[in-house]
Amino acid sequence: MKPLKFTLITLFPEALQPYLNSSMLYKAQDRGIIAIDYVNLRDFGLGPHKSVDDTPYGGGDGMLLRCEPVFAAIESVKADDSTAEVILPTPVGTVWTQDLVRQFAGVDPTTDGAENAVREKTAQQPQPGSQHYIILCPHYEGYDERIMSIVDYPISLGNYVLTGGELPALIIIDSITRLLPGVLGGENSAAIESFSDGDNLEYPQYTKPAEFRGMAVPEVLLSGHHGKIAEWRAEQSRLRTERKQP
Ligand code: ADE
């Protein structure tokens, strides 16, 4: 299967590379499950200073990303792959949830999990489900609204404002990649984790030692009684979910 490709259009590739070249994301690239490409927006800048931004019409503070460099950068990627779809991290976008992550990963919601993910099915599924996402990382105070006309998916990471699209891009890539088949070690670890079914939070977990500074691991987990353990976990999961989303 072809890797799921992410092309990052950014002014700061050096801010993205250390994270993307570590741990799970490194392994996913090494195994050919994802591929990451960088396009430096500065290469498409205007004039001798390779300018990518300008002041807003109508006045106001700050600088806005201009259309010309952004359209040129996106079109240069699409010239090689016309199927690529554009994600724009922006506070005005659709809020990124685990349901959306699953759709972008092309994972069947009924069979979530590393072993059962079915990206092969994406051809029959409604969009999203691309094999190639271009993530445009704006910087500065904002962007010319006409840039929206070339964007397929405006995505917000939540109700707060970040300085640029680089951190959202990392979160988007991380959350998608961990659902792809062959990425996580544990057979079902992606499936049982918090939010994995979109509704229920994960139960609390413990490892050795059985007691640490007076804090004991719940007895039932040491009992070896699988039925009781499953019951306890289901109940804890329910309580946590209720507390967080009453
Ligand atoms: N850029 C700035 N703030 C953002 C947010 N909350 N989500 C996505 N992109 C952003």
Side-chain angles (χ1 to χ4, degrees):
M1 194 164 78
K2 258 175 56 179
L4 176 59
K5 186 162 179 184
F6 297 98
T7 298
L8 292 151
I9 300 180
T10 173
L11 289 166
F12 302 99
E14 72 283 358
L16 292 161
Q17 282 154 349
Y19 193 84
L20 293 171
N21 292 335
S22 310
S23 187
M24 178 228 15
L25 291 166
Y26 167 78
K27 284 188 200 147
Q29 289 171 83
D30 195 48
R31 293 174 189 162
I33 298 167
I34 63 166
I36 297 178
D37 215 359
Y38 301 87
V39 169
N40 197 323
L41 189 59
R42 188 70 62 195
D43 295 342
F44 297 87
L46 306 172
H49 299 297
K50 295 278 175 193
S51 169
V52 297
D53 60 342
D54 215 323
T55 52
Y57 280 122
D61 285 339
M63 303 285 273
L64 303 181
L65 216 48
R66 291 177 63 122
C67 287
E68 305 95 314
V70 168
F71 276 66
I74 290 174
E75 281 160 8
S76 80
V77 180
K78 288 197 170 190
D80 288 335
D81 180 0
S82 63
T83 70
E85 295 182 301
V86 181
I87 297 174
L88 173 72
T90 165
V92 301
T94 307
V95 174
W96 193 237
T97 59
Q98 191 65 19
D99 273 345
L100 265 187
V101 174
R102 248 186 247 109
Q103 289 177 48
F104 276 76
V107 174
D108 184 336
T110 58
T111 56
D112 195 356
E115 297 304 301
N116 296 321
V118 281
R119 264 187 58 228
E120 294 85 348
K121 274 196 183 170
T122 55
Q124 293 96 56
Q125 285 179 354
Q127 297 294 338
S130 176
Q131 298 291 308
H132 186 176
Y133 296 115
I134 299 169
I135 309 183
L136 170 67
C137 303
H139 227 82
Y140 306 110
E141 283 76 5
Y143 49 84
D144 186 305
E145 192 61 27
R146 291 168 290 187
I147 286 171
M148 281 301 214
S149 68
I150 204 172
V151 169
D152 298 292
Y153 308 110
I155 297 292
S156 165
L157 265 292
N159 293 333
Y160 47 82
V161 180
L162 298 162
T163 316
E166 282 77 13
L167 285 171
L170 292 177
I171 292 170
I172 290 166
I173 295 173
D174 183 290
S175 52
I176 292 174
T177 302
R178 62 190 290 286
L179 294 188
L180 300 177
V183 172
L184 290 188
E187 216 178 284
N188 252 334
S189 44
I192 60 174
E193 278 179 66
S194 296
F195 293 117
S196 63
D197 64 5
D199 294 319
N200 293 319
L201 289 168
E202 191 188 29
Y203 46 80
Q205 302 209 76
Y206 301 85
T207 183
K208 293 182 187 68
E211 188 175 323
F212 176 71
R213 298 189 180 175
M215 295 178 282
V217 171
E219 272 300 319
V220 62
L221 297 178
L222 310 174
S223 68
H225 193 301
H226 297 301
K228 286 206 172 119
I229 292 172
E231 237 171 66
W232 181 86
R233 286 178 166 169
E235 176 64 2
Q236 291 295 315
S237 177
R238 192 184 63 74
L239 287 172
R240 272 191 163 179
T241 307
E242 256 179 30
R243 224 172 289 140
K244 189 93 189 276
Q245 302 152 358

